[in-house]
Amino acid sequence: NAGVTQTPKFRVLKTGQSMTLLCAQDMNHEYMYWYRQDPGMGLRLIHYSVGEGTTAKGEVPDGYNVSRLKKQNFLLGLESAAPSQTSVYFCASSRTPRTPRSGANVLTFGAGSRLTVL
Amino acid sequence: SQQGEEDPQALSIQEGENATMNCSYKTSINNLQWYRQNSGRGLVHLILIRSNEREKHSGRLRVTLDTSKKSSSLLITASRAADTASYFCATIGGKSTFGDGTTLTVKP
């Protein structure tokens, strides 16, 4: 069982270049998330999706776009990379809560993608 | 700003001692979760406590929740060197928000 797989694991970009990070999950999860983690800090939510074809903004969405064309994949795009986007990016997925009130989504994380923008 | 804030930011103890980490949050929650992150790795879910629960145990982990104070604590008993990691509390819903974490070092 692969769980959540992120590609690539490492990437170095020059300012202004574009790239796409791919997240794939094989657990049939409805919800998927993209986070970034900067040194010594927690995770900040960039964008998330509650189902195929849907996306929503998180805490820090500026400079990023996402797409969820297939249930198992969630893509994170940087159209014009900036040094401030140097970070480690984590994808996560979860099941739909059993009830709207429970909100009991346990997240399964990928191993991370380390991006450096020069 | 982060929904959850952990305290202390860093904790260093000897193997066999207990480690306590605290988390405060700002808004109403349905549940609160704790995650662990080993250096250079993704986060792994440890334990979930629902808003109507006050205490929960899982192996050497004990989590408490005080909704009136909007706070939670994670206790790791009889710590081991392998417990060295960062620990995060999180409130998970449509959006999912993590604190900045407590870095625990357990010295052999």
Side-chain angles (χ1 to χ4, degrees):
Chain A
N1 229 355
V4 177
T5 303
Q6 295 181 227
T7 54
K9 288 184 170 48
F10 302 94
R11 184 74 187 269
V12 178
L13 289 177
K14 294 181 179 179
T15 297
Q17 287 185 317
S18 63
M19 75 159 295
T20 300
L21 296 176
L22 171 64
C23 177
Q25 52 95 4
D26 61 2
M27 297 170 286
N28 201 35
H29 284 172
E30 288 291 336
Y31 288 25
M32 296 188 74
Y33 310 80
W34 274 109
Y35 292 88
R36 60 176 286 174
Q37 184 178 35
D38 298 305
M41 295 181 68
L43 279 70
R44 290 184 290 171
L45 182 64
I46 305 172
H47 286 279
Y48 66 102
S49 168
V50 300
E52 181 180 318
T54 72
T55 63
K57 294 180 180 180
E59 300 172 78
V60 289
D62 293 343
Y64 304 95
N65 56 75
V66 287
S67 64
R68 185 96 181 269
L69 298 179
K70 293 183 179 180
K71 185 178 183 178
Q72 63 268 35
N73 295 338
F74 195 29
L75 278 64
L76 178 69
L78 285 71
E79 291 184 346
S80 179
S84 61
Q85 294 177 305
T86 293
S87 190
V88 180
Y89 292 85
F90 288 98
C91 176
S93 70
S94 70
R95 293 182 293 110
T96 306
R98 290 178 184 171
T99 68
R101 187 170 172 77
S102 71
N105 300 1
V106 172
L107 303 187
T108 301
F109 280 85
S113 298
R114 185 175 296 274
L115 174 65
T116 301
V117 183
L118 302 175
Chain B
S1 61
Q2 294 289 312
Q3 167 76 310
E5 296 182 0
E6 286 88 348
D7 162 53
Q9 289 186 327
L11 181 61
S12 181
I13 60 175
Q14 294 293 134
E15 208 165 28
E17 294 180 338
N18 295 341
T20 300
M21 290 158 266
N22 303 298
C23 166
S24 60
Y25 58 93
K26 297 177 181 177
T27 62
S28 297
I29 59 170
N30 291 323
N31 66 83
L32 186 138
Q33 302 181 29
W34 285 88
Y35 287 77
R36 164 190 169 133
Q37 183 181 33
N38 286 69
S39 181
R41 302 286 190 93
L43 279 70
V44 175
H45 178 258
L46 291 176
I47 193 167
L48 178 153
I49 186 166
R50 299 186 188 278
S51 59
N52 61 354
E53 297 176 313
R54 292 296 168 259
E55 187 171 312
K56 196 164 185 179
H57 296 253
S58 177
R60 293 184 296 112
L61 304 181
R62 172 178 167 250
V63 170
T64 62
L65 180 64
D66 186 337
T67 53
S68 66
K69 295 181 179 178
K70 290 187 169 54
S71 68
S72 175
S73 67
L74 172 67
L75 168 67
I76 303 175
T77 60
S79 63
R80 305 166 182 168
D83 293 329
T84 294
S86 292
Y87 293 82
F88 296 89
C89 68
T91 55
I92 309 292
K95 296 186 179 184
S96 302
T97 310
F98 287 78
D100 288 341
T102 292
T103 299
L104 173 66
T105 302
V106 182
K107 301 175 185 176

